[in-house]
Amino acid sequence: MIFDVRDRGELLRRTTVELSAAVAGERGIFVLQRIGDLVGYIDVRSVCIEGAAEFASFNLAIRTRWQGRGLGTSLVKSAEEWVRRRRIPFLIFHVAVRNDRAFALYQRLGYTVCGDVVAANKESGVVGDYYAMGRMLDADEVALA
Ligand SMILES: CC(C)(COP(=O)(O)OP(=O)(O)OC[C@H]1O[C@@H](n2cnc3c(N)ncnc32)[C@H](O)[C@@H]1OP(=O)(O)O)[C@@H](O)C(=O)NCCC(=O)NCCS
């Protein structure tokens, strides 16, 4: 995931597209800001199969200097709440095998490895291997939301 980008115009264009989708109810974006400074974000979306939301997924990033303060944890919890409100029972996402920090965070929050994904263009050295990690949201939690 690329968080600090050089091309701010491209970031703005992508963000505008993503926010438009959020208004349509397909995607939620939670952004943390401090005095105009972007601290981190999570974008969560439902994945539909044959028109029905089967599961949800998210992307998460916290700016380096803001890491280790519980902000990633709190954004994942916001995303889980977003998913529960839509009565979607399962969250799944990819995390790079070498991303020990993110892996530990997700494990602490109850996510387990569902499978391995080997990137197709591994030879380029640009993309590595990923775990698919997931978690069933408790039926009670879904019912109470
Ligand atoms: C992975 C990532 C999102 C974690 O975000 P974070 O805000 O640092 O996560 P948290 O602070 O919630 O948890 C991380 C650590 O802080 C500790 N922590 C949790 N709450 C805390 C609090 N209130 N005060 C201090 N530390 C706290 C946790 O114990 C955890 O310990 P660790 O250092 O052993 O990992 C962040 O490192 C990141 O953006 N990385 C780059 C992008 C990326 O990898 N995204 C995920 C792709 S799948």
Side-chain angles (χ1 to χ4, degrees):
M1 178 186 304
I2 299 167
F3 188 49
D4 290 298
V5 289
R6 287 178 198 278
D7 187 347
R8 286 174 180 265
E10 169 59 14
L11 177 63
L12 185 62
R13 191 195 60 75
R14 253 183 44 209
T15 306
T16 306
V17 170
E18 289 177 356
L19 284 174
S20 307
V23 169
E26 302 156 350
R27 198 165 198 170
I29 302 177
F30 298 89
V31 176
L32 290 171
Q33 274 187 299
R34 187 176 179 277
I35 320 174
D37 197 19
L38 183 60
V39 169
Y41 77 95
I42 193 163
D43 83 283
V44 54
R45 61 217 170 267
S46 58
V47 178
C48 294
I49 297 173
E50 294 177 1
E54 292 271 328
F55 62 91
S57 191
F58 61 70
N59 288 309
L60 166 69
I62 301 292
R63 248 186 219 287
T64 309
R65 67 176 175 277
W66 291 98
Q67 291 175 7
R69 305 173 192 221
L71 297 176
T73 301
S74 94
L75 281 180
V76 172
K77 290 186 173 172
S78 298
E80 289 175 347
E81 198 53 39
W82 185 96
V83 173
R84 278 192 202 99
R85 269 192 263 115
R86 282 155 186 79
R87 308 210 174 278
I88 301 169
F90 195 63
L91 253 168
I92 188 163
F93 49 84
H94 291 159
V95 56
V97 166
R98 64 181 182 280
N99 195 343
D100 296 337
R101 184 119 199 233
F103 187 81
L105 167 69
Y106 299 138
Q107 268 198 323
R108 183 163 50 78
L109 291 175
Y111 292 86
T112 53
V113 173
C114 314
D116 298 332
V117 181
V118 179
N121 58 343
K122 197 178 170 189
E123 297 74 28
S124 71
V126 174
V127 183
D129 296 343
Y130 293 82
Y131 293 125
M133 293 190 86
R135 183 190 157 201
M136 294 291 294
L137 296 175
D138 294 344
D140 288 350
E141 289 177 309
V142 173
L144 288 171

